[in-house]
Amino acid sequence: MTDLPPVVDRAAFEAEVARLRTREKAHTREGDALAAQRRRLPMVEVPADTLLTGPDGPTTLLDAFEGRRQLILYYFMWHAGHPAAAQCEGCTWCSSQVRELSYLHSRDITYAIVAQGPYPESARYHEFMGWTMPWYAAAGEPLETLLTGRHVGMMHLISYVRDADRVFETWWTTRRGVEQVDNSYRLMDLTVFGRQEPHEDSPAGWPRTWPVDGHLLKTDGRPIPQWPRLAAGHSDDLGS
């Protein structure tokens, strides 16, 4: 039987929420301050003609802006030749969070994904998952150029801005930094049991059944979001 928090009356409950709210507001203000500092970072130029592969064949980093001033690219780890069930559960989790793009577009921002591998396989995965964001692929020298100084084969989230036909990188992150795109974990953090992961600071007796060991975002051997697609009759054949 899972333990639960102590039961109190409404007045005591609201008093504890009010104490927590002070810290929550400070956290929000610190997030605003970080965003302000992020807007003041310098930038570095990257080759605007760096080649990507898209649905219509070869294209460029500049083309990926789709005419907008800003671009956010998520770099999806790709295991070439592997079936859908063996593709990156972390990148699948991140990509499944980003659905509605119109708010980004209203601020002159394009959001897209670059798979780190061959286009045909990953494009089939994009279709299988029912994602609608723009999807590209890059490998070899173009990918190394885009990820200069960073580990190719790891998830990255990178922001760009363009000035006419020149492109500049303005910010990047990796590992847990990519939680910026997530809403599921943020919602879990609002619940009494949280993410249910063993590293969390939770009271004794709270469930901690999701070990961070490569299965954190999988159930029954697959990335979690694949199951509803299979149930809906989507084919996971990647042609590999």
Side-chain angles (χ1 to χ4, degrees):
M1 183 69 177
T2 300
D3 289 338
L4 290 167
V7 178
V8 297
D9 61 25
R10 171 61 66 173
F13 171 73
E14 294 296 349
E16 289 297 325
V17 170
R19 275 190 281 273
L20 176 64
R21 191 78 74 226
T22 299
R23 293 188 64 189
E24 288 179 334
K25 288 182 177 180
H27 179 72
T28 298
R29 287 192 291 271
E30 177 61 16
D32 291 342
L34 285 170
Q37 184 175 352
R38 195 178 292 121
R39 290 191 293 271
R40 288 165 172 79
L41 286 172
M43 60 187 186
V44 61
E45 188 164 9
V46 294
D49 60 355
T50 301
L51 284 177
L52 306 174
T53 302
D56 298 320
T59 188
T60 67
L61 176 62
L62 181 63
D63 292 331
F65 279 76
E66 296 184 342
R68 299 184 181 91
R69 187 76 188 275
Q70 301 176 90
L71 172 67
I72 299 173
L73 290 183
Y74 179 89
Y75 289 80
F76 194 112
M77 297 166 60
W78 188 256
H79 305 306
H82 290 224
Q87 294 304 327
C88 178
E89 66 272 13
C91 291
T92 301
W93 154 63
C94 287
S95 302
S96 296
Q97 305 300 313
V98 183
R99 292 288 183 172
E100 182 55 63
L101 300 179
S102 61
Y103 296 104
L104 293 174
H105 294 171
S106 74
R107 303 308 197 268
D108 211 17
I109 302 166
T110 294
Y111 180 90
I113 292 180
V114 175
Q116 302 179 54
Y119 181 80
E121 285 181 5
S122 65
R124 291 188 184 99
Y125 192 69
H126 175 258
E127 181 180 5
F128 162 57
M129 293 303 301
W131 296 329
T132 57
M133 77 286 282
W135 187 275
Y136 303 97
E141 184 177 347
L143 183 60
E144 292 170 3
T145 297
L146 291 167
L147 297 180
T148 296
R150 288 158 291 201
H151 179 65
V152 174
M154 183 179 290
M155 61 180 72
H156 291 87
L157 190 66
I158 303 181
S159 298
Y160 303 90
V161 68
R162 71 179 179 90
D163 182 14
D165 60 354
R166 299 174 69 189
V167 174
F168 302 87
E169 183 178 326
T170 61
W171 175 85
W172 71 276
T173 192
T174 189
R175 298 186 181 274
R176 285 195 64 186
V178 302
E179 286 185 18
Q180 299 274 7
V181 306
D182 171 68
N183 59 62
S184 293
Y185 266 9
R186 293 172 189 265
L187 292 173
M188 290 179 197
D189 287 342
L190 303 180
T191 69
V192 68
F193 295 141
R195 304 182 185 189
Q196 303 176 45
E197 297 171 6
H199 63 86
E200 285 183 287
D201 182 1
S202 295
W206 259 229
R208 301 165 185 264
T209 56
W210 289 87
V212 185
D213 64 353
H215 301 285
L216 176 63
L217 300 166
K218 287 184 176 181
T219 54
D220 298 326
R222 283 181 177 270
I224 293 168
Q226 291 187 8
W227 290 110
R229 274 69 179 185
L230 291 169
H234 294 226
S235 171
D236 69 346
D237 180 6
L238 304 184
S240 57

